[in-house]
Amino acid sequence: LRSFTTPPGSGGLDGRMVLCCMCGVQITGPSQGARCLQCLQKEVDITAGISRHASVQQCGTCGKWLRASGGGKQWVHAELESRELLAVCLKQVRGITKERQLVNASFLWTEPHSKELRVKLVLQAEVMTGVMVQQTVAIEFRINSLQCPACKKSYTRHTWESSVQVRQRAGHRRTLLNLEQLILKHKAHTQLIKLQPTKEGMDFFFTRERDAQDFVSFVKSVAVVKHHESKHLISHNVHNSSYRYKRTTCVELCPVCRDDLVLLSAKTAQALGGLPPIMLCTRAASVIGLLDPSTGRSLEVSPADYWKRPFAAACSQAQLTEFVVLDVTPVEYGSGKGGGMADLRGRSRAAVSLCDVEVARVADFGKNEDRVVVRSHLGHLLQVSDVALGYDLRTVNAGLDEDELAKVPLDVYLVRKPRPDKTAQKHRKRAAARAGAVGGDRATDEASEAGAAEDVTSLAAVGEEDDEDDEEAEELRAAAEQMLDSLAEARGKAAEGDEEDDDEDAAG
């Protein structure tokens, strides 16, 4: 596009026609050096000094482009004929100044595999007083292959700059599995280049130390950890005194998990406010939550306090025993030993429903009638004939001697109810969806039958050692029902005897 304009107030010849000084064509134009459009195009070339050929560098491995910015160079991602790639190309063009301004730029079509790019530039400059001229120029860019530093490292042993070693010295991997889910949920693995599992944890590798430190901060926000750092010298430049290190951060996770029964030493229990030697872990995240089911007292242990006085788990989930609830008696707050809801440091906590629960082990059905009455914090969840999981200190080796075992307030620590089977839940949801889609009684009956089958299966699975032994499960279920019936009959007889005694006393 070639044109010239006369700005307002530039001073013409009052609209009179004049002859072009070059070819004699009549024009209406400025008084100084009046030229027609064709003559001005032939005489003036504002594209002089603009480089017609240039080159850009692209990494042949990752496809990044080298861009000069702020006195330095940076490798960036850019698609073909994109604004980012156009900016990379314009950085290589010489001759664009304030007097010769760039008005527009766009790509011209080239073969995709030609290793060349063509860019059309529209330039504007003031060639005479009040006369602005725009001209177009096409520039060819040659694409040169150059390997970026990141791809160079990928072919050597030094592919990473910083690593994070996550370790948990425990007999299970529940905390590590939970940490993996949190990393995926919060997208903390975006800068990760390599993951290597080990015997006691995982190793995470990063290209920059800042990314590794951000990952360590994330782990500290979701778990109770301690860490220490180390570095290894890779190279040293004696001319400018520059050093290159590989840095490693070792992060150790707390071995205590949720629903574990922890053992506190005498000094630790006294430092935390006079706690019993056995506590139940109810939370294992950024802090550790401990609960005493006998009194309802709770405490949150910060990471600094834990690593100052560490304690271990006496029993884990692998040692949980199944119990059947025979009776539930709520306990009023304030009765007994510390039946309140406040924790040891005065912070308000969620309500803890204390209750006295009479339970019997599922494995004892049909063999004996051993029962035990314990204090539990699951008063809002437990009902008669429910199944609860807990730790039986009478049969489990918790690492306590006879003197320490005498100080333990409870023989059985109830932890939680069994979690429902996910497979059975999926079948129930499918049956419910089928019932809603069809809207008939048949689908509703199928859903009801599926729910009933799930309940029977869960009751039968309470005392069985093998999930596939249906006959033994049926015998255990019948024994449990018989025991509950005999218990209800005995309570009824006891109530009738008390009424007869009251009538005799009244008659006397």
Side-chain angles (χ1 to χ4, degrees):
L1 176 63
R2 297 177 176 85
S3 63
F4 70 91
T5 59
T6 303
S10 60
L13 297 177
D14 300 332
R16 290 178 296 175
M17 301 296 294
V18 296
L19 299 179
C20 174
C21 64
M22 300 293 294
C23 62
V25 177
Q26 294 184 354
I27 58 172
T28 302
S31 58
Q32 298 179 356
R35 296 176 179 85
C36 65
L37 181 60
Q38 289 77 12
C39 297
L40 190 61
Q41 292 174 354
K42 296 177 181 180
E43 183 178 356
V44 178
D45 184 14
I46 64 174
T47 62
I50 301 296
S51 56
R52 298 300 197 275
H53 300 276
S55 62
V56 291
Q57 286 74 33
Q58 183 186 23
C59 179
T61 304
C62 62
K64 292 183 178 179
W65 300 83
L66 182 61
R67 183 182 66 182
S69 59
K73 295 183 179 180
Q74 182 182 7
W75 291 88
V76 296
H77 285 285
E79 298 292 336
L80 290 176
E81 299 188 3
S82 62
R83 298 182 60 183
E84 292 78 9
L85 182 57
L86 186 60
V88 172
C89 295
L90 292 180
K91 287 289 185 179
Q92 306 298 327
V93 178
R94 299 179 180 275
I96 300 178
T97 60
K98 293 182 179 180
E99 292 77 12
R100 190 186 292 114
Q101 298 179 357
L102 178 64
V103 178
N104 191 14
S106 60
F107 281 99
L108 297 176
W109 184 86
T110 55
E111 285 288 345
H113 305 289
S114 62
K115 285 295 204 176
E116 290 185 356
L117 298 174
R118 297 187 64 198
V119 178
K120 183 181 70 173
L121 303 182
V122 179
L123 303 176
Q124 176 179 285
E126 185 178 5
V127 295
M128 298 178 62
T129 303
V131 179
M132 305 295 294
V133 176
Q134 289 186 359
Q135 291 183 357
T136 303
V137 60
I139 302 177
E140 295 183 357
F141 294 88
R142 179 67 181 176
I143 301 177
N144 298 327
S145 297
L146 180 64
Q147 203 171 40
C148 66
C151 294
K152 288 181 181 179
K153 289 183 181 179
S154 63
Y155 294 99
T156 64
R157 295 180 300 171
H158 309 296
T159 57
W160 55 274
E161 290 289 342
S162 183
S163 67
V164 179
Q165 300 176 353
V166 180
R167 299 289 185 269
Q168 185 185 30
R169 294 172 176 83
H172 54 81
R173 301 178 66 89
R174 295 199 309 272
T175 305
L176 293 175
L177 295 176
N178 183 42
L179 180 61
E180 289 181 4
Q181 299 299 322
L182 292 175
I183 291 174
L184 296 176
K185 178 181 178 181
H186 297 279
K187 299 181 180 180
H189 62 291
T190 54
Q191 303 298 330
L192 183 66
I193 62 173
K194 183 181 177 182
L195 174 63
Q196 181 178 356
T198 60
K199 182 179 180 181
E200 295 181 344
M202 296 176 290
D203 293 343
F204 301 86
F205 298 93
F206 301 89
T207 55
R208 296 184 300 177
E209 181 186 0
R210 182 177 61 184
D211 299 334
Q213 295 302 322
D214 294 341
F215 183 79
V216 172
S217 301
F218 170 76
V219 176
K220 292 172 63 177
S221 66
V222 297
V224 176
V225 301
K226 68 175 181 179
H227 69 282
H228 61 273
E229 299 179 356
S230 62
K231 59 183 180 179
H232 175 66
L233 180 63
I234 300 299
S235 61
H236 168 50
N237 191 342
V238 296
H239 300 286
N240 54 7
S241 298
S242 61
Y243 299 84
R244 182 185 174 191
Y245 293 95
K246 275 190 175 182
R247 305 178 184 273
T248 302
T249 304
C250 183
V251 179
E252 182 178 355
L253 299 177
C254 171
V256 178
C257 297
R258 183 181 177 182
D259 297 339
D260 285 353
L261 204 63
V262 300
L263 175 61
L264 304 179
S265 62
K267 292 184 179 180
T268 302
Q270 186 65 28
L272 295 178
L275 296 175
I278 293 293
M279 294 286 288
L280 181 63
C281 179
T282 58
R283 183 188 179 191
S286 58
V287 294
I288 298 179
L290 300 179
L291 174 67
D292 182 13
S294 62
T295 60
R297 297 184 298 176
S298 60
L299 176 69
E300 288 187 353
V301 181
S302 63
D305 293 339
Y306 173 81
W307 295 112
K308 184 179 180 180
R309 292 178 289 268
F311 48 84
C315 302
S316 59
Q317 291 190 16
Q319 299 170 300
L320 287 173
T321 306
E322 293 181 338
F323 295 88
V324 173
V325 178
L326 305 177
D327 188 20
V328 179
T329 303
V331 176
E332 297 181 359
Y333 295 115
S335 62
K337 296 182 180 180
M341 294 186 295
D343 63 350
L344 298 176
R345 297 186 179 180
R347 295 188 296 269
S348 60
R349 302 289 297 168
V352 177
S353 300
L354 296 179
C355 63
D356 290 332
V357 186
E358 183 178 3
V359 296
R361 291 193 305 176
V362 174
D364 293 338
F365 283 150
K367 299 179 182 180
N368 55 58
E369 295 185 358
D370 291 342
R371 307 171 186 173
V372 61
V373 179
V374 298
R375 181 68 60 86
S376 176
H377 64 290
L378 304 176
H380 59 294
L381 297 177
L382 296 180
Q383 297 179 0
V384 177
S385 73
D386 283 349
V387 178
L389 299 178
Y391 298 105
D392 191 355
L393 298 184
R394 300 171 299 175
T395 59
V396 175
N397 183 12
L400 298 175
D401 54 17
E402 295 182 357
D403 296 337
E404 293 177 342
L405 194 60
K407 298 179 182 179
V408 177
L410 300 176
D411 293 335
V412 175
Y413 283 81
L414 297 181
V415 179
R416 56 178 173 82
K417 295 177 67 175
R419 295 186 177 92
D421 188 8
K422 294 184 178 180
T423 304
Q425 284 184 349
K426 290 182 180 179
H427 288 307
R428 176 174 288 183
K429 290 181 179 179
R430 289 175 182 173
R434 195 160 49 245
V438 176
D441 297 336
R442 181 178 179 181
T444 307
D445 294 339
E446 291 179 358
S448 301
E449 290 175 3
E454 179 187 351
D455 296 338
V456 171
T457 304
S458 61
L459 287 176
V462 166
E464 61 184 2
E465 296 179 357
D466 187 358
D467 294 336
E468 299 178 358
D469 194 353
D470 297 336
E471 295 180 358
E472 185 179 357
E474 186 67 24
E475 293 177 0
L476 293 176
R477 186 181 65 83
E481 294 178 355
Q482 184 179 0
M483 188 173 184
L484 292 174
D485 294 340
S486 61
L487 180 62
E489 184 179 356
R491 288 177 180 172
K493 292 180 179 180
E496 292 178 359
D498 295 338
E499 292 179 358
E500 291 178 359
D501 295 339
D502 294 339
D503 294 340
E504 293 178 359
D505 295 340

